[in-house]
Amino acid sequence: MHNSNSFFKKYVKIIVVLAVIASSSSGIFVNLISAPPMAIGFWRLAMALPFFAIPVLTKQRETLKDLDSKDLITSILGGVFLFAHFFTWFSGVKIADIASAVTLGALHPLVVLFVSVVFYKKKVGVRAVMGIVLALLGGAMVAGFDYHQLVGSNFKGDMLAFLSAVFMGLYFLMGEKARERVPGTTYVFLVFLTTFICFAIGVAVTGTKVLGYPAADYGMLIALTLLCQIGAHAVFNLCIGYVDSLYVSTWETGETIFSIILGAIFLSQIPNQYQIVGCMVVVIGLLYYNYYWAKDNS
């Protein structure tokens, strides 16, 4: 465990970027899977949960028992917000343009920044904030300010994507608070367990079937689980123990770039000039933020 902690502490910035790359495939998988959002969420959590349930329940039961009620509630809330994020994101990305949905879904740093400054009383450097704003402006350019993407059938998808950003921000903030005292693996287990329970209830209430989909769907669900649930969300939560939620949230904005590249390859959604320039602005904003975040936290 000590070596694992040392590894994360030493390479946390690289790990965050790799997790963002893994996360960027989510929109592609969800778009290609024919199963509805509730079934996607159910299987994604059902397959990811054992990876954390087994080590926690066999080796960390005492840690689990020693959690105080405040940390337990915060962890459960993190799981509820993750469920809300997944459901709105899965629902939105199925009916909206990938670039537009990913851009709106990447607005969570604003939520994290607002809560961090107003409620947590954190000091965030002006130049770091400028980096966040620049990255978000680049994200807006990726959407191309295309009026046609914000009307008709896409409007509902875009609004769902925006809601997913709000829930993502709240989820990251819960993680930051809980990870001050809760070990990474234990926290991930509690979050994933809560999210799975929410999806299981959702499946039962809505009468959504979980079996009987094409074999290709289950193959993509396995890939979605390994890349996005374990390779991204689990890793984000582990990294939050070494950097704050605003750092992780801001770098997650970079998902815009990788999603557009994957969208062009797998969905033939070729980026326009606004999206290409927007990607460049996102990169500049993230690098600017990273530089001044490091200076402010040194």
Side-chain angles (χ1 to χ4, degrees):
M1 180 63 74
H2 177 74
N3 291 336
S4 175
N5 289 341
S6 300
F7 178 81
F8 268 91
K9 187 173 184 179
K10 186 175 181 180
Y11 299 107
V12 65
K13 291 185 179 181
I14 297 172
I15 294 169
V16 168
V17 174
L18 292 175
V20 168
I21 295 172
S23 178
S24 65
S25 62
S26 173
I28 307 300
F29 283 123
V30 172
N31 215 281
L32 293 173
I33 295 170
S34 65
M38 201 66 78
I40 293 174
F42 174 87
W43 280 114
R44 177 169 169 169
L45 271 299
M47 289 189 280
L49 189 56
F51 286 89
F52 300 92
I54 293 171
V56 170
L57 296 178
T58 56
K59 298 179 181 179
Q60 300 174 27
R61 281 181 292 182
E62 291 304 316
T63 303
L64 204 57
K65 291 176 183 177
D66 291 340
L67 291 180
D68 64 30
S69 57
K70 183 178 179 181
D71 289 336
L72 186 59
I73 291 170
T74 303
S75 301
I76 291 171
L77 279 174
V80 172
F81 287 135
L82 182 58
F83 161 75
H85 161 71
F86 279 154
F87 183 71
T88 51
W89 169 246
F90 296 160
S91 301
V93 79
K94 276 185 172 291
I95 56 177
D97 178 82
I98 287 287
S100 181
V102 169
T103 300
L104 290 165
L107 293 177
H108 45 80
L110 295 181
V111 178
V112 177
L113 180 62
F114 177 78
V115 175
S116 295
V117 173
V118 175
F119 295 101
Y120 291 178
K121 306 300 180 186
K122 277 194 170 185
K123 291 183 179 179
V124 181
V126 174
R127 289 176 297 190
V129 172
M130 287 174 62
I132 295 172
V133 172
L134 191 60
L136 292 171
L137 284 175
M141 291 183 70
V142 168
F145 302 104
D146 188 351
Y147 171 77
H148 297 294
Q149 289 182 358
L150 296 174
V151 296
S153 61
N154 278 339
F155 181 75
K156 181 180 177 182
D158 288 338
M159 291 304 97
L160 286 167
F162 173 73
L163 279 175
S164 78
V166 175
F167 292 128
M168 182 78 147
L170 294 171
Y171 155 63
F172 278 142
L173 286 161
M174 292 302 104
E176 180 174 352
K177 282 316 246 186
R179 288 285 283 114
E180 291 174 0
R181 290 173 299 275
V182 183
T185 308
T186 304
Y187 177 70
V188 173
F189 165 66
L190 290 170
V191 168
F192 284 12
L193 176 62
T194 303
T195 309
F196 171 71
I197 291 171
C198 288
F199 272 113
I201 293 171
V203 163
V205 170
T206 59
T208 303
K209 67 174 185 175
V210 294
L211 297 173
Y213 298 107
D217 273 11
Y218 294 100
M220 285 188 283
L221 280 166
I222 292 171
L224 177 67
T225 300
L226 294 174
L227 277 172
C228 303
Q229 193 64 29
I230 297 172
H233 279 275
V235 173
F236 287 148
N237 285 312
L238 295 172
C239 288
I240 284 175
Y242 305 96
V243 291
D244 60 31
S245 58
L246 184 58
Y247 184 88
V248 176
S249 181
T250 300
W251 269 97
E252 230 271 322
T253 306
E255 183 181 332
T256 307
I257 301 166
F258 301 110
S259 293
I260 285 177
I261 294 171
L262 293 174
I265 295 171
F266 294 104
L267 301 177
S268 300
Q269 295 183 3
I270 307 302
N272 58 37
Q273 59 185 355
Y274 294 105
Q275 293 170 333
I276 294 169
V277 174
C279 284
M280 295 170 64
V281 174
V282 169
V283 171
I284 293 169
L286 288 174
L287 293 175
Y288 188 87
Y289 168 80
N290 187 67
Y291 177 75
Y292 284 108
W293 181 91
K295 290 190 69 173
D296 291 340
N297 289 272
S298 60

